[in-house]
Amino acid sequence: MRVILAPMEGLVDAPIRETLTRVGGIDRCVTEFIRVTHGTLPPRVFFKYAPELERDCATRVGTPVAVQLLGSDPGQMGLHGLKAVELGAKQVDINFGCPAKTVNKHKGGCVLMREPELMYAITAAVREAVPEGIPVTAKMRLGYDDRSMGVACGQALEAAGAEEIVIHARSKVDGYKPPAYWEEIAKVREAVNSHVIANGEIWTVADYWRCREVSGCDDVMIGGLIARPDLAAQIKASQTGESVPDMTWPEAVALVREYAAALQTRLEDRYVTGRIKQWMNFLRLGFAEAELLWPEARKIRDVAPMLACLDQDIPEARLKIRAA
């Protein structure tokens, strides 16, 4: 009954993985995708996206991190799957789920779900190249143009040797709009022997249990941990009939400060502020305080005033008005 942190391009980077896994409840992370095209990528590219490779491919608290590749050339994907393992990867994941137009335009991500045969060839090439004992897994959606390709694509991945298949419960056309079609995940799960993991529209503990009931999956992947950093810990407590106190806004701000400090060792401040804004935009879904501060915070360009903005006291009356 694992909880896996979803990879989110441009947001769920190594510093945020470190921050969120320290909160607890996360069993595994997946890197942002490493784009594979032509030519061999140098090791620095792998270490940029997965610095955990230098620590037995785990965060500092010991949470395993899978290295994710995205591309459409089976030979190149196999070559880079092997390279990832040589650099320390313990699991190689393949991205067939990214809905971004620029990625799909260059025949990567979810557009490949129009061609189950190519999905098979890519996965088989990686499986053949990667040593036995290293899991090869994949992430997909339910289809590209509609939700009719889930079973066919799941069967192609299984036949190619994918040990686990994460399914985001929407098509590319659905984007990220509610609802998530967890019942369609169940159809794929019933049609394959590979282990299926459910993903999509899990924002609360109640959502988690409904997803498990409808999809039939024991394990879930959650992007909503960005909005509620304590959600994985809440879910783990609920599995044993227990509960833990909700994270407070000051506790969330402390995490953002930790994240900002880590980013400042890697990026210029203007980029750090941008990343903080990206995260805060999601925190608005989990904290009324973030929603109240957002109009002011979104205009700030420098790190220090941004953190000062997050730290300001918010009268209880304003929160109650907002909640109403």
Side-chain angles (χ1 to χ4, degrees), residues 218-271:
D218 292 330
D219 299 339
V220 299
M221 175 178 279
I222 304 178
L225 298 177
I226 298 297
R228 289 190 56 190
D230 62 335
L231 179 57
Q234 296 273 2
I235 287 170
K236 286 302 179 72
S238 76
Q239 291 174 352
T240 57
E242 300 173 358
S243 62
V244 294
D246 290 339
M247 177 174 284
T248 65
W249 176 241
E251 289 172 333
V253 171
L255 296 181
V256 175
R257 282 188 164 276
E258 176 185 319
Y259 177 55
L263 286 178
Q264 285 179 305
T265 67
R266 302 165 49 137
L267 301 172
E268 296 178 27
D269 273 14
R270 60 194 175 109
Y271 297 117

Side-chain angles (χ1 to χ4, degrees), residues 88-129:
K90 308 296 185 184
Q91 175 185 343
V92 178
D93 190 64
I94 307 172
N95 185 319
F96 295 114
C98 180
K101 289 182 180 179
T102 53
V103 170
N104 294 166
K105 181 180 178 181
H106 292 92
K107 207 169 185 180
C110 192
V111 73
L112 293 169
M113 293 196 69
R114 287 174 166 172
E115 303 179 59
E117 304 86 356
L118 183 52
M119 291 176 67
Y120 170 88
I122 292 167
T123 307
V126 175
R127 179 66 277 173
E128 183 177 355

Side-chain angles (χ1 to χ4, degrees), residues 11-51:
L11 181 58
V12 182
D13 52 14
I16 213 165
R17 292 194 292 269
E18 290 290 343
T19 300
L20 292 178
T21 55
R22 195 172 56 77
V23 174
I26 298 173
D27 296 291
R28 189 173 77 211
C29 303
V30 183
T31 67
E32 300 169 89
F33 64 76
I34 299 172
R35 184 67 187 269
V36 174
T37 54
H38 303 292
T40 305
L41 294 172
R44 61 179 171 78
V45 174
F46 289 86
F47 288 111
K48 173 186 175 183
Y49 288 96

Side-chain angles (χ1 to χ4, degrees), residues 116-170:
E117 304 86 356
L118 183 52
M119 291 176 67
Y120 170 88
I122 292 167
T123 307
V126 175
R127 179 66 277 173
E128 183 177 355
V130 168
E132 186 177 350
I134 299 293
V136 172
T137 59
K139 186 171 190 281
M140 68 177 207
R141 285 180 170 242
L142 292 169
Y144 186 86
D145 303 287
D146 54 39
R147 296 182 293 276
S148 66
M149 294 296 289
V151 170
C153 291
Q155 290 174 331
L157 294 176
E158 176 194 23
E163 295 185 28
E164 295 181 351
I165 304 169
V166 175
I167 304 177
H168 184 107
R170 300 179 178 97

